[in-house]
Amino acid sequence: MQSLVDAIREQGVILPGGFLKVDGLVNHQLLPGLTREMGVRFAELFAPLKPNKVLTIEVSGIAPAISAAMELNVPMVYARKKKPLTMKEPAFTASSVSRTKGGNVDLFVSSEFLGPEDRVVIIDDFLASGGTLRALTGMIELSGATLLGLGCVVEKQFEQGREFLADLGVPIHTLANIVRMSEAEGIVVEVGR
């Protein structure tokens, strides 16, 4: 998605520790036209698989996931990071290491919204090491639902998350691919794969 690549080149910032800051596009501020374009592209990629749910994680995955779900005309479910008292039991749970949060993050999805009849596409903001996506796929497995594919707005290719998730045997689509990044070279980004 060339418009996303251009926006990352223009607004992306490399932070110490290997973090890519794209808060003006995905994580803190949203650009409605770009977000809509993300949803359209994900829908084009995943519609042939006939999903009936989109799953993501709060907070940064919600915007691209709801945009995709709107284009696919299916419900979007998001994994919560704190279990609300109102969540129906049983709840599906998983744990993931978040580098940006600096530790483990517990995730919760109610069995009320994910079950064996569901054909699920996961949409999230980043594919880096693949840990968060692996946690979400574990929740799908616990629910008895079928995982159809994974979609991420930005892939950090050099962190090898795609390889970590290859055994899932589902398509993995990204909209922008960070090939490498360093203070000396900057952000080397290309259209996703």
Side-chain angles (χ1 to χ4, degrees):
M1 208 175 101
Q2 191 60 50
S3 56
L4 177 61
V5 168
D6 294 343
I8 291 170
R9 286 182 179 144
E10 193 175 297
Q11 295 187 30
V13 176
I14 301 168
L15 298 177
F19 293 100
L20 173 62
K21 181 177 173 159
V22 288
D23 288 2
L25 309 172
V26 179
N27 302 107
H28 198 69
Q29 170 180 272
L30 301 171
L31 303 176
L34 184 61
T35 303
R36 182 179 323 121
E37 191 178 342
M38 291 174 196
V40 168
R41 182 64 184 135
F42 281 132
E44 290 170 354
L45 293 165
F46 291 116
L49 302 176
K50 299 187 179 355
N52 68 352
K53 290 263 171 85
V54 171
L55 177 66
T56 193
I57 183 173
E58 68 176 353
V59 167
S60 299
I62 291 176
I66 191 66
S67 183
M70 289 170 69
E71 292 296 324
L72 291 165
N73 196 30
V74 301
M76 183 209 72
V77 176
Y78 62 91
R80 306 283 300 258
K81 292 180 183 174
K82 185 173 181 178
K83 185 177 177 188
L85 296 173
T86 58
M87 185 173 281
K88 181 181 176 182
E89 293 293 339
F92 306 115
T93 63
S95 184
S96 175
V97 175
S98 171
R99 288 181 54 212
T100 55
K101 302 286 186 254
N104 280 346
V105 175
D106 294 323
L107 305 173
F108 306 90
V109 171
S110 172
S111 58
E112 187 175 5
F113 302 114
L114 193 62
E117 68 285 355
D118 291 317
R119 298 173 46 81
V120 183
V121 169
I122 294 173
I123 304 289
D124 203 11
D125 60 344
F126 270 89
L127 169 54
S129 67
T132 300
L133 293 169
R134 179 68 73 176
L136 289 173
T137 64
M139 296 169 92
I140 290 171
E141 187 176 324
L142 287 172
S143 76
T146 302
L147 174 65
L148 300 177
L150 306 171
C152 292
V153 175
V154 178
E155 177 178 1
K156 291 169 78 179
Q157 175 182 325
F158 54 90
E159 291 197 26
Q160 300 180 332
R162 183 180 291 268
E163 292 76 11
F164 176 65
L165 300 167
D167 65 301
L168 295 171
V170 297
I172 301 172
H173 297 293
T174 57
L175 303 181
N177 179 29
I178 309 300
V179 178
R180 61 189 175 277
M181 58 185 214
S182 68
E183 289 192 30
E185 193 174 13
I187 302 167
V188 178
V189 59
E190 60 189 23
V191 173
R193 46 193 185 136

